[in-house]
């Protein structure tokens, strides 16, 4: 009995160590990745407030390229009276530094945008192999939920991949298809990650990443996909979605 009891204590101790290592792993990853997560918004001196947060972005490639959702971008950027597109980069001091940015390219069908920001290179995230992600995988995502209501602090949530499924659901009748759903179906459906976590509009464009390696495997999206899968739901459903990073890589390859 003493031997059995000793083995049980050893097993419990090993499990505690493994859990501790897992938690420490995510904490270390968050600390490393936070400088690469940016505020995406607009700036106009006559607006109040002058900076308007529109979503989240993250730095990739050479440290000056930024990935976000296409719907985060203002529709009137070409107008002479339009506010300037800007990003805000967190400095080592903890303060946010505003920088001008321009659009390099977009993929409207995947709701992705690639920007280039001015100024020195920032720490960049690595893109992972989204094709290797399996249902049941434990991931995490970062962003600015509910915009500036909670303050401009990077927030991290854990998420499990509940399903890898089609971005657009078939409708029993053409009359129930939304305009976005029709555009999506015409452009060809694609697979997305369905997550068991609640995200908010401010999370749009944020990175979905592996907690151990920090590699980005997806981009959070709360507009394009919900409009085609959950258009009947007006409140957060506890389900979130992300665009696989393979589509980010395709966008990068076209605009290097």
């Amino acid at each position: 009995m003493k031997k059995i009891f000793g083995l049980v204590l050893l097993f419990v101790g090993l499990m505690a160590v493994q859990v501790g290592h897992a938690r420490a792993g995510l904490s270390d990853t968050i600390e490393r990745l936070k400088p690469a997560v940016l505020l995406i918004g607009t700036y106009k001196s006559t607006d109040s407030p002058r900076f308007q947060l529109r979503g989240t972005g993250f730095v990739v490639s050479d440290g000056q390229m930024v990935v976000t959702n296409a719907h985060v971008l203002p529709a009137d950027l070409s107008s002479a009276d339009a506010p300037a597109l800007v990003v805000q980069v967190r400095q080592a001091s903890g303060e946010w530094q505003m920088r001008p940015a321009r659009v390099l390219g977009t993929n409207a069908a995947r709701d992705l945008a690639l920007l280039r920001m001015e100024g020195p290179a920032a720490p960049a995230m690595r893109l992972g192999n989204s094709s290797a992600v399996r249902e049941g995988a434990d991931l995490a995502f970062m962003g600015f939920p509910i915009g500036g209501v909670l303050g401009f602090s990077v927030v991290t949530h854990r998420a499990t991949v509940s399903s890898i499924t089609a971005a657009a659901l078939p409708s029993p009748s053409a009359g129930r298809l939304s305009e976005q759903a029709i555009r999506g179906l015409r452009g060809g459906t694609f697979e997305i990650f369905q997550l068991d976590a609640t995200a908010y509009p401010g999370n749009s464009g944020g990175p979905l990443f592996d907690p151990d390696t920090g590699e980005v495997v997806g981009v959070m999206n709360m507009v394009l996909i919900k409009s085609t899968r959950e258009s009947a739901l007006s409140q957060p459903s506890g389900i979130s979605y992300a665009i696989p990073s393979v589509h980010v890589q395709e966008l990068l390859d076209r605009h290097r």
Side-chain angles (χ1 to χ4, degrees):
M1 287 297 293
K2 287 184 178 179
K3 181 179 286 187
I4 293 174
F5 184 67
L7 289 173
V8 169
L9 287 178
L10 178 62
F11 176 76
V12 171
L14 289 173
M15 289 298 293
V17 169
Q18 289 177 354
V19 171
H21 283 168
R23 289 175 177 168
L26 178 58
S27 297
D28 291 343
T29 301
I30 290 171
E31 184 177 358
R32 189 172 76 251
L33 297 186
K34 280 177 72 173
V37 180
L38 311 182
L39 298 160
I40 307 289
T42 58
Y43 177 86
K44 192 172 184 180
S45 59
T46 56
D47 285 347
S48 182
R50 288 176 289 181
F51 173 75
Q52 302 279 350
L53 175 68
R54 296 188 61 88
T56 302
F58 58 96
V59 182
V60 295
S61 188
D62 60 1
Q64 291 181 309
M65 290 187 175
V66 179
V67 174
T68 188
N69 286 153
H71 77 258
V72 165
L73 304 179
D76 59 348
L77 277 176
S78 59
S79 169
D81 193 46
L85 178 65
V86 297
V87 301
Q88 292 209 40
V89 183
R90 195 175 191 91
Q91 303 299 291
S93 63
E95 296 181 351
W96 291 98
Q97 180 189 65
M98 189 178 302
R99 301 187 189 180
R102 60 186 175 89
V103 180
L104 289 180
T106 62
N107 181 338
R110 304 297 185 262
D111 196 22
L112 293 173
L114 182 64
L115 316 179
R116 178 174 284 280
M117 65 178 179
E118 295 183 9
M125 292 187 174
R126 298 193 314 273
L127 295 182
N129 179 15
S130 57
S131 300
V133 174
R134 302 173 62 190
E135 292 179 349
D138 290 323
L139 302 174
F141 61 92
M142 286 181 167
F144 303 92
I146 327 180
V149 174
L150 301 181
F152 293 152
S153 297
V154 178
V155 179
T156 305
H157 296 276
R158 284 186 176 272
T160 299
V161 179
S162 302
S163 178
I164 301 175
T165 185
L169 287 175
S171 176
S173 66
R176 291 178 59 183
L177 282 170
S178 68
E179 182 182 347
Q180 280 186 310
I182 292 172
R183 287 201 303 267
L185 290 170
R186 282 177 178 170
T189 190
F190 60 101
E191 289 189 333
I192 48 91
F193 299 139
Q194 180 176 310
L195 311 169
D196 69 340
T198 299
Y200 295 87
N203 285 116
S204 288
L208 175 71
F209 60 92
D210 183 303
D212 296 320
T213 66
E215 292 184 339
V216 177
V217 294
V219 182
M220 299 301 294
N221 186 294
M222 298 308 300
V223 173
L224 175 70
I225 300 173
K226 276 188 177 289
S227 71
T228 58
R229 296 186 63 86
E230 297 185 26
S231 55
L233 297 177
S234 59
Q235 300 296 325
S237 61
I239 299 174
S240 297
Y241 302 97
I243 310 291
S245 61
V246 62
H247 303 296
V248 176
Q249 188 61 60
E250 292 167 355
L251 192 57
L252 274 170
D253 291 341
R254 289 203 302 270
H255 297 280
R256 284 191 188 280

